[in-house]
Amino acid sequence: MKLKLIFFLFLSFSLTLFSQETPETEKDTSIQGQFDEIYRISTTYQVYKVISKDKYQALKNNVLDSIKNLKTQISEKENLLKSEREKIKTTNELLSKTQADLVASNKKENSISLFGIELSKIKYNLLLWSIIIISLLLLFYFIFKFFRSNTLTKEAQNNLLDVEQEFEQHRKKSLEREQKLRRQLQDEINKSRNS
């Protein structure tokens, strides 16, 4: 048994020296490559692989460093992801606020306040034009009524002048007749006194 152990140690030592003396081509520095390298340069004892402690320690350190680097990268990416989520949340809140402002702005732009009542521009224009049209119709109606009344007034004034002229003529005739009758009466009284 000792002989086998010595032979095994000699064989592993010689393989280690041999593997170190061979010119190295490009080494695969990935973890998979390092495990393959350790497996390739290790010696076999029965069904077991014998790995040198130095190589094992170097592989362990490399794996732990890789794990540490990966954890650092994961932590950095999680922090970045968290900050991006915060930015997305802030952006979404800003978008919601902007959309609400846009809706309010559109509502304000498309409506007009009249006596404290918000009216859409269409209703406002309809109301405004209705008022204008009704005012114009009333204006035309009153102008028509004014001219008609003015015409009637002129006719009445003309009729009044005619009546006044007729009355004046009638008065003059009546006055003349009265004077004539008085003269006749006076003449008659004078005749009756004289007779």
Side-chain angles (χ1 to χ4, degrees):
M1 182 82 167
K2 281 187 174 183
L3 194 54
K4 279 185 178 181
L5 189 57
I6 292 172
F7 176 71
F8 175 70
L9 288 174
F10 175 73
L11 186 60
S12 69
F13 182 71
S14 62
L15 282 175
T16 305
L17 286 176
F18 179 72
S19 67
Q20 289 176 356
E21 291 176 1
T22 58
E24 292 185 23
T25 58
E26 285 186 36
K27 269 187 157 183
D28 187 4
T29 57
S30 68
I31 294 176
Q32 176 72 36
Q34 290 178 27
F35 272 107
D36 290 342
E37 178 72 17
I38 288 287
Y39 186 79
R40 189 178 55 74
I41 63 170
S42 64
T43 57
T44 304
Y45 173 72
Q46 295 178 352
V47 289
Y48 304 105
K49 285 285 192 179
V50 178
I51 304 170
S52 77
K53 287 183 178 181
D54 293 338
K55 297 278 183 186
Y56 169 76
Q57 195 62 34
L59 178 62
K60 178 182 171 186
N61 289 339
N62 287 342
V63 169
L64 291 176
D65 284 344
S66 295
I67 291 173
K68 184 178 176 184
N69 287 338
L70 290 174
K71 283 183 180 179
T72 304
Q73 287 178 358
I74 289 171
S75 175
E76 289 173 355
K77 294 201 180 198
E78 283 178 348
N79 289 338
L80 181 64
L81 184 61
K82 184 178 178 182
S83 79
E84 290 299 320
R85 283 183 182 155
E86 288 296 321
K87 284 181 185 177
I88 289 172
K89 182 180 176 186
T90 305
T91 304
N92 285 338
E93 289 172 357
L94 183 62
L95 177 64
S96 297
K97 184 179 179 285
T98 304
Q99 286 175 338
D101 289 345
L102 178 64
V103 168
S105 176
N106 282 341
K107 183 178 179 185
K108 186 176 180 180
E109 181 182 328
N110 291 330
S111 66
I112 295 173
S113 178
L114 182 67
F115 304 118
I117 299 171
E118 289 291 325
L119 296 174
S120 69
K121 283 188 176 180
I122 295 171
K123 289 180 182 177
Y124 176 79
N125 286 335
L126 185 63
L127 178 67
L128 181 68
W129 284 107
S130 297
I131 290 172
I132 290 172
I133 290 171
I134 290 171
S135 298
L136 287 174
L137 289 174
L138 287 173
L139 177 68
F140 290 137
Y141 175 74
F142 286 121
I143 289 173
F144 171 74
K145 284 295 225 176
F146 171 77
F147 282 122
R148 186 169 169 214
S149 296
N150 194 19
T151 305
L152 290 175
T153 305
K154 284 183 180 179
E155 284 178 16
Q157 285 176 345
N158 288 336
N159 288 340
L160 179 65
L161 284 174
D162 289 344
V163 168
E164 283 178 352
Q165 285 175 358
E166 284 178 16
F167 178 72
E168 189 63 35
Q169 286 176 358
H170 177 70
R171 191 175 68 89
K172 284 180 182 178
K173 283 183 184 178
S174 295
L175 191 61
E176 285 176 7
R177 233 185 292 148
E178 189 180 320
Q179 285 175 355
K180 196 175 186 185
L181 281 174
R182 278 190 185 163
R183 269 191 206 145
Q184 283 176 355
L185 179 62
Q186 189 66 32
D187 285 342
E188 288 297 318
I189 290 177
N190 284 339
K191 271 187 192 178
S192 48
R193 277 189 194 171
N194 286 335
S195 42

